[in-house]
Amino acid sequence: MTEREANSYSPLTLAFLGDSVYDTLVREFLLRKANMPVAKLHSAKIKLVCAEFQSKAYDIVSEKLSEHETAILKRGRNATGNTVPKHADAAEYRRATALECLFGYLFLTGKNERVRELFEVIINSNIIENEQIGV
């Protein structure tokens, strides 16, 4: 898909796709990291896909983005219509949505290498060490 076509989607629609892309990358990371029971994998995954963690990841990747990618991130952060879950605060949730929006946009435009590159930045940062994920 072209960037122009991808820009026609709402940020929340891009985040809908990006949530799945990010979730899949986390699952792959955990599976490669440790062979463990599914219940433990699920518990570890939850810690890495929650709004709090993704909000921290937002800070990590925002320093590594191009101007255009930053604009996509901001579109996601400023999207309206989010219903914030009880377990997250509004600012964290908006930043998590922004990260998912960026991942969805990059995936939709065929920039899979860039998606993996940004995910590696997150996984190799010190925020992953601060999480007690059990792998």
Side-chain angles (χ1 to χ4, degrees):
M1 177 175 289
T2 68
E3 289 185 1
R4 183 176 180 171
E5 290 169 327
N7 280 327
S8 70
Y9 288 92
S10 78
L12 295 179
T13 301
L14 294 171
F16 171 78
L17 176 61
D19 175 54
S20 177
V21 171
Y22 181 83
D23 186 82
T24 300
L25 290 168
V26 167
R27 288 170 185 252
E28 180 185 4
F29 164 75
L30 291 172
L31 194 68
R32 291 179 186 274
K33 192 87 170 152
N35 186 4
M36 62 177 70
V38 173
K40 286 188 177 188
L41 286 169
H42 180 73
S43 294
K45 180 200 72 119
I46 293 300
K47 292 176 182 177
L48 299 179
V49 299
C50 70
E52 181 184 5
F53 183 85
Q54 287 182 336
S55 178
K56 292 173 187 174
Y58 172 104
D59 288 331
I60 300 298
V61 300
S62 64
E63 302 168 358
K64 310 284 186 205
L65 302 179
S66 69
E67 241 180 85
H68 183 67
E69 291 168 340
T70 299
I72 299 299
L73 194 71
K74 288 180 180 178
R75 270 184 68 205
R77 186 193 64 208
N78 296 333
T80 57
N82 282 353
T83 303
V84 179
K86 292 178 183 178
H87 64 276
D89 75 29
E92 284 178 341
Y93 193 70
R94 291 172 75 111
R95 291 159 51 97
T97 300
L99 184 71
E100 292 171 348
C101 177
L102 176 63
F103 274 56
Y105 177 87
L106 292 172
F107 181 82
L108 206 55
T109 56
K111 296 185 172 105
N112 297 327
E113 188 61 36
R114 183 63 173 153
V115 169
R116 288 195 173 274
E117 183 181 312
L118 292 175
F119 185 74
E120 288 295 321
V121 167
I122 294 166
I123 292 304
N124 293 327
S125 71
N126 63 354
I127 61 171
I128 194 81
E129 294 168 7
N130 295 336
E131 297 298 317
Q132 303 295 321
I133 61 169
V135 293

